[in-house]
Amino acid sequence: MMHKRDAVYSAEGRLYKYDVNNINESDPILINDVITADGWEDSRLVVVANGTLPGPPIIVYEGQTITVQVTNHLKSEEVTIHWHGITQNGTPYMDGVPFLTQCPISPGQTFVYKFVASHKGTYWYHSHVGAQRAKGLFGALIVREKKSLEMKEHIMTIQEWNHDLDADLEDAKMVFGFYENRKKFQSSQSLDGQFFSNIKAQSGLINGRGRYYSDENSHNEAPLEVFAVEQGQQYRFRVIAAGQLFPWSISIDNHPLTMIATDGFDIEPQIADAFIINTGERYDFVITANQTVDNYYIRAKTLEINRNTTAEAILQYYGADQNVQPTSVPRQCTADDRCVVVNCFFPYYPDEYFTDCLPIDNLKVKSDTDPAPPVHQGKFKEYFLNFAFPGVVSFPSTINGRRFVFPTKNVLADPDDANFPCEEADCGEQRHCFCTHSLSINHGDTVQMIFLNMGQGTGWAHPVHMHGHTFYVLKIGYAKHDNRTGLKLEGNSDIDCRGGTDRANSWCNNATWSNQTWANGNVPGMELLKPVRKDTIIVPSGGYVITRIKADNPGVWFLHCHIELHANDGMAMLLNESFPHHPSPPTGFPYCHSYPDNETPPSTTTTPSSMPSKVPINQETGTTVSGKFLIHVSTYSSMMQ
C-alpha cells in the first residue's frame, strides 16, 4: 500500500506511515486516500477508473441520457467499457465490446459513450478487454426512478483478490500450468463436489477493502468498508458481483435479508438468511436496523470447501463505538431452525448445514404485466447452447464445441463481416473448432435458448451473461444430486446430448430434448406468467437453464461465460440479431482492421489449451437533462487516488 510516495501499513483498522513505530503517538492516514485492497503491504499494480478501487459510482435517473468520456491513460494496453445490464436498445455501438461493437481505445485516445438509462435498476460498468476487470477497472451504475427514495441506499461491490499476482499472470498460469513451491496448485472444490478453476484468491474485497487472514483467526488488521445505519430505519443494499471467478454467499449478522430485485428487475420480496451471487450478477436487498446500537459483521464467503476465502465489512449503527471491532457472530442453522439461501447453483446443501436452497426460478417478478414472450407458429426458434470444456487431449473453453475467436474488425460497423459461420465440416458432434461463433436471430422471433452445462466437459458451474437483453428465466434443471451429501451424481436426464455415445462421454455439441414432445415451447414446469428477468444466470454443472427473449433489439450482442478466464479462453459467441435492421454507425465512428485488410477464416486447428482445473460522480434530475461524466483509466500501485 502506498500514500503519495510513502509506504503505509495497517494496524487496528487504520493506516500509518511506514516509519511510525508507536501508533498511539501518530495520526493515522486518511483511508480514502489509499487503495488498501486486503491490506497487504507490498504493492500490486491495479488498473482503475479515476484513481479508485472500485471506480466511482455513476448515479442517474431513469430516462436520462448518459454521456461518458473515457480517456485511456494506460501506457501499454487498450481498453473498452461495457455497461453491464444496459440493453443499449438503439445504441448497439455503445455496448463496449472490442471488435464486435467498437474499436478498442488505444493509449492516449478518448471515446465518448452516449446512451439512455432506459430502465431503473442496479447495473455496473467494467472493462471488456482481457483481464482488466479483475485488475480493478469497474464501478457501479445505478439508475433510479424519478421519485423520492423510499429509503436510504448503500452500494456494495464484491470481488476476490490476489495480492501477489495480477490477473494476466493468473490467466497465463491457468493456460501453461500453476505451480507453487514445486507442487501443482490444486483446484478448489464447491459444496456439490464440482470444481472452481485455478485461481488463487487470498482474500475478498467489499468496495475495494478487505483483510488478509493468515489463518481462520488471525488477520492483518486492515481497514474494512463501513456501512452506516440509523436504528429503526430501513436500508436498501445494491450488491454487484464484480469478481473474476468465485460465487459468494453474503449475510449480515443478526439481520435477515429481504431480497427485492435482481439484475435490475424487481421481484416479489423473499426473506432469506443469505444469498449467493455469481460474477456479473446483481441483487438488491433490504434490512431493518432494529438491533441494539453496535457494530455487526457483513460476511461474504466463497463456496470453496477446501479453502477459507472470506470478505468482511461492518454494519455500524449511529452511536456505536467506531474504534471497536464487531463481536457479532453468524446465525447458527439448526434442524429445528433451518436457514434459507437464495440462488444456489445446486439443489441441496449437505445435511449438516441445516440449510435449504431457494433456486432463482422459484422467485417471481414483481410485475403482473411482464409474462414470457409467447410462442407463435413460424416465429419461434429454440437453440441448445452447451458451455463446457470437452476434449481428449486439449480442453478449450467452448460453446457447442466452438472456441470463440474474435474478428479482426468491428463487425457491427462492417455489415459484410457481421457473420462468420463455423464450418460444419470442422465442427462436429465430437470435435472442437476455433472460429467466430455466431447465431443469426430473425427480427420479431421469440427465441428460446437452453443454456447447458452437460456431457464430458462439465464439472464447473458457469455464470452466463447476455448483452443486449434481459432474458426471462423459465426453468432451471439441476443434475441428479445426493439429497444428504449434496454431491452431484449424474447429469440431468431431460437432455439428450447425442454424439453417438452416452451422456457422460458425449461432448453435447448438438443437444436436444430427451422427450421430443417438449419441443416448440412445450417443456413442462416452466414459469410463463411471472418469470424472473436476468442478464446473468448461473448454469449448474450437469444441468440447464431455459431462457427466452423477444428479438426486438437489432445489433451484434456478445453471449459469454462471465468467468474472466473462461471468456478469454473462448467460452463465448455473438448473437447477430435482426441483421437488416442494424443501425448505421454514428458519424465519424472509428473503423479498425488488420493490415492488409484481407480477412482470412479463423484457424480451425485444435491446439492444446487449458483445463479449467465512494461517492457519486454526479447526479442530475429532470426528464431531458443528460448526465455527463469523465472516466480516466490509469494504473496505480495501491496508492493515493
Side-chain angles (χ1 to χ4, degrees), residues 435-482:
C435 51
T436 306
H437 187 189
S438 66
L439 177 65
S440 293
I441 298 174
N442 295 327
H443 191 68
D445 278 358
T446 293
V447 182
Q448 185 161 293
M449 298 185 197
I450 297 89
F451 301 151
L452 308 175
N453 188 346
M454 302 285 292
Q456 187 253 17
T458 191
W460 297 258
H462 298 291
V464 174
H465 174 50
M466 182 186 293
H467 294 219
H469 285 275
T470 54
F471 46 77
Y472 296 79
V473 180
L474 307 187
K475 182 179 180 179
I476 296 178
Y478 289 105
K480 183 180 179 181
H481 286 71
D482 188 307

Side-chain angles (χ1 to χ4, degrees), residues 32-48:
N32 287 339
D33 285 347
V34 180
I35 296 176
T36 62
D38 67 355
W40 192 251
E41 291 185 37
D42 291 339
S43 297
R44 203 210 90 168
L45 194 69
V46 295
V47 177
V48 295

Side-chain angles (χ1 to χ4, degrees), residues 173 178-185 200:
K173 284 178 175 287
F178 194 163
Y179 293 83
E180 285 188 323
N181 300 320
R182 299 183 183 175
K183 294 181 180 179
K184 267 193 172 184
F185 183 78
K200 182 180 180 180

